[in-house]
Structure formats: structure tokens, C-alpha cells
Amino acid sequence: MLGAMVAAMATVATTTTTTTDRLTSYNPATGEPVGSVPIFSAAEVDAAVARSRVAAQAWGALSFQARNEELTGFRKALANHVDDLVDLLHRENGKPVLEGYSEVLNALSHLSHAIGRAEEALASRKVSSGVLANFRSTISYHPLGVIGVIGPWNYPLFTPMGSISYALAAGNTVVWKPSELTPLIAVKVAEIAANTFALPDVLQVVTGAGATGAALAKAAVDKIAFTGSAATGKRVMMAAAERLTPVLLELGGKDPMIVADDADVEKAAEAAVFGALTNAGQACVSIERIYVADAIHDKFVDELVKQVRELKVGGDDGDIGAMTSAQQVAIVKDHLEDAIAKGAKVRTGGPDAISGSYIQPTVLTDVDHRMKVMSDETFGPVIPVKRVASLDEAVKLANDTTYGLGSSVFGGKAIRGIAAKLRAGMTAVNSVMAFSGIPNLPFGGIGDSGFGRIHGDEGLREFTRVKSTAEQTFSIPMNMMSFRQPKDASKRLRGMIKQLYGEGVVAKATDTWRKLRAR
Ligand code: NAD
């Protein structure tokens, strides 16, 4: 079947880009160019989407088994290219090599999960028909068609693959616009896809900056999965509104961490250091502010500062890599200066510890919510710590944000109750960020952190259209879908309402109903 489809598609899948403008990707650690890619015009984006639409018909028509075989081949090819992928992640994004391997592992873990879960999560299911007991009711899930994925630079593989893997496994094709800061990794992935899939154009990449992304948001795609800042997310949503294209928005965060007085201080500090500083703090679910119970505040800060000072900044084997852009360094500097001017104390690091694209991790205390470092997304290696008098105060402050992405709580068993009170899409208990590495857990936020979910069964269904089917299986005397009713129809309905929903007769009615449905 696949062979015939490929032959049929060969005639339509030959358009090539004619772009002459190019975009250069630079190594943030050295400033040297890593490579260059074409800048796709709006017309070229539309052409890619048109090719994707043709591919979607064949890809969406495959059985789960056939598609899963294709996706498994893709997963294996990506794993076989792990060193190339990590090299690009390291050179384009600035992250240490170890973090590059961790990113590839996480991306492939999600791809593997999406492959394994798609058939079951998207299986049709029969549901109760309620009062229309003579109907068989079925919910089924169908591919949307073409998904436009617009990605950020901070996790340039893991983050877009969180949409791409689930979209492909659900039977869609994808046109991916990577960040202009990290396009080469996407081009590499698309090259691997082209060499692996039997069908052409299952996963295409259109490179360029904001204008190329804007063109994709306006194009004739069936859904846009956007990951990036809240400001750009709003622009994407406005552009998509022209065609009423649905959007999935994975935006920024200002994730809080709460440390109760019965927490293991050393472990909480260790998790805080990782959660705030991995990827140089450039993670959407970075720990961006910490609220610590008064009784252990000083001990926690001492431990935090000790562990932060043990980290190595820079080098291929460093713990903290280069910041990916000069713009991001400027934001971190601004947040630090603003906090210090408003009374924050620097325990280690500080604005003077910024050197080129490297920032020494910084711990601040005596912070409050007037400071940008406690209200705006910093996206850098900064850990502001605030003392709280009670867990109620900690929850109130943690929820005092327009964002609502991830969060973290540390403490004894009672801390689970605190986790439940946090207004966030995800919470890690006695850990940080773990929810993003567990493929069964849906990932996404609320408020300025966006809406919709990637990962998990919800992440697969996000890329489907839901179809409801009501099939009449036998006739009953009163057909509710007809004007031909017996003369006493109103009387019968009145009696039915009283019997089904009135007081005292519920058990009898339920029994009658059950008998009807069993037929
Ligand atoms: P960004 O909003 O600047 O850019 C994101 C993407 O949008 C890029 O590919 C960019 O070229 C494109 N773009 C720019 N203008 C556009 C337009 N008008 N129309 C369409 N596309 C356009 O974000 P960024 O700086 O690349 O990424 C950092 C942000 O992403 C942070 O806020 C971070 O928290 C967030 N993020 C969120 C998640 C999540 O899953 N929630 C994951 C990673 C990053």
C-alpha cells in the first residue's frame, strides 16, 4: 500500500524552494557562524503547506501499525545520529554537551511513547446514549491534517518534538518553523525524516525569522502548535484567527517552588539548583522564585549558595553553558539591577558576574513582588529566595502571577495538599520539572502560560478532530427525531420526566433504562 502511495505522490511532491536570502546561525559561546539556512518567503511556506496537505492524505490513511513502523524507523535514525544532534545543540544553543544528550533522550522518550500510545489513546469508544437508549453512541478521533509547529530556541529539539511526535503519531503531517537562533538542528531532523519515511513531506522545515513564522500562522494549516513567548503567542493567535485555525499555545512561565519547614534542606537545595540553573535557566519550567519557610530559610540559603558555588560555568563539560542570545543576557542584567535597586541582597553572583554570553549563577534574598525578578520571566541563571511566615503565605505568593506553567513543592506528606492549591498546569512534589520527562503526563499551562496540552493522551488528542456518531439500532414507539408522534406524546414525555428525574422513582427508572440499553 505504501509503495503505491509513494508512486502516486511522486508527481506532486517535487516543488523546491527558490529562496536566495539566507539566515546565519551563530555559536553563542564563540560568536562564530555554525551554518546558514534559506529564509522562506510566505509563498514558499504556502507551497510547503500544500505539499504537506498531499502527504497528509496518505499518512493519515495508514493504519496505526504501518505509521508506527515508519515512526519507529525515524526514532531509530534519530538515535543513530545522536552525536550530530548533540553537536548542533551544543554549538547552536550554547548548552553543555551533557544537557544536549539529556535533551535528545527526552525527545526520543516522547516520540517512543507517542508511537506506543497512539492506537489505544485514539481508539473509537462507545459511550452511553442516555435517554436515547435505542442509539449506539461512538466517539472517534481523526487526524486534523497539516500541523504548523513554531518552535523556540531554548530546547530546540525537545520542545518542538513534543508537538511533532504526537501530531505525527496521531496521523498528521507537520510543517515546522524553528527559531531563527537554532535552525540547523531542525534542518538536520528534517533531513533524517526525509531519508527515513517512505512518504515524502511528512515532516518539512521552513526556516526564517518572525516573518516566516507569521506566514505559517496565516497559512492553510489545520492547527498551529506554538511554543515561545506570550507576546508572540498573542500575535500567532491573531494571525490564526483569520482562518479560524485552532491554536495550541505553550508559552512562558514564572514557576514557583515552595519549601516547607519539614523539607530535607539539602535535597531541596539540590533540586532548586538544578531546576533554576539547568540550560542556564533558559527553560520554560525553570524554577524562577523560591518561597522558604522562615524556620529553615537561612539554612536553605547557605546550602543553596554552597551548591551553586560548586558549579562550573562554561566549557564543553561545564554545568552552565552560554546564554543563547545577547538579548537574553540583557534581560537578566536588567532584572538583577532592578532587584538590587529595590533592596535585594546578592548572596553569590550578581550583575558584575556577567561576562559576555556567560552569567555566573546568582542567588538573591530579601526579594519581593515589586521586583521584575519575582514577577517577569527572567529566563536566566538567577535564584531569588523569599522568606515566608506560613505555607498559606507561600501559596498566596506562588499564585500571585499571570503565568501558570510548572511549580514545585518540597516537604513532608502534608505538602501534597499545598501542591493541589497551586494554580499551575503542572506540579512536581519533592522534585523539579519531572512532569516534563514523564510522557504519560500532559504538559501545558494556564493564563499567560497558554492553553492546550502536549504529551500524554491529551497531547495525542490535541492533534485530532473528535467525531461523534449516533446510530439508531432499533425502533421505539416514540421516535424523538420525528414529527410523527402519538397523540398523547406530551403526556408520555411528562410522565417520563417525572419517572426519570422526579423524586422517589429514580431507582425504578434507572432499572427500566438499563433494560432498554441492554437490548
Ligand atoms: P519567541 O516568542 O521570541 O519566538 C518563538 C518562535 O516564534 C520563533 O520561532 C520565532 O521566529 C517565531 N515568531 C516570532 N514572531 C512571530 C510571529 N509574528 N508570528 C509567528 N511566529 C513568530 O520565543 P523564544 O524567545 O524563541 O522562546 C522563549 C520563550 O518560549 C520563553 O518565554 C519560554 O518560556 C517559552 N517556552 C515555552 C515552552 C512551553 O512548553 N511552555 C517551552 C519552551 C519555551
Side-chain angles (χ1 to χ4, degrees), residues 150-155 159 177-181 208-217 226-233 235-236 239 249-253 282-285 327-328 377 379 403 405 426 443-445 449 454:
I150 303 177
W153 47 262
N154 60 331
Y155 287 96
T159 295
K177 208 300 277 179
S179 167
E180 54 273 38
L181 297 180
T212 306
L216 185 56
F226 171 82
T227 309
S229 62
T232 312
R235 284 197 281 277
V236 166
L249 299 180
E250 294 288 351
L251 310 176
Q282 303 169 114
C284 54
V285 289
Q327 190 194 3
Q328 208 51 51
E377 190 178 43
F379 227 55
Y403 290 109
L405 194 57
M426 297 145 308
F443 183 101
S449 295
I454 54 172

Side-chain angles (χ1 to χ4, degrees), residues 236-283:
V236 166
M237 197 169 166
M238 281 192 275
E242 270 185 35
R243 289 179 191 265
L244 279 181
T245 305
V247 290
L248 158 67
L249 299 180
E250 294 288 351
L251 310 176
K254 190 71 193 168
D255 290 8
M257 176 174 178
I258 293 176
V259 187
D261 57 8
D262 56 353
D264 179 323
V265 170
E266 191 183 338
K267 287 207 171 105
E270 184 184 349
V273 169
F274 182 82
L277 304 179
T278 184
N279 212 32
Q282 303 169 114

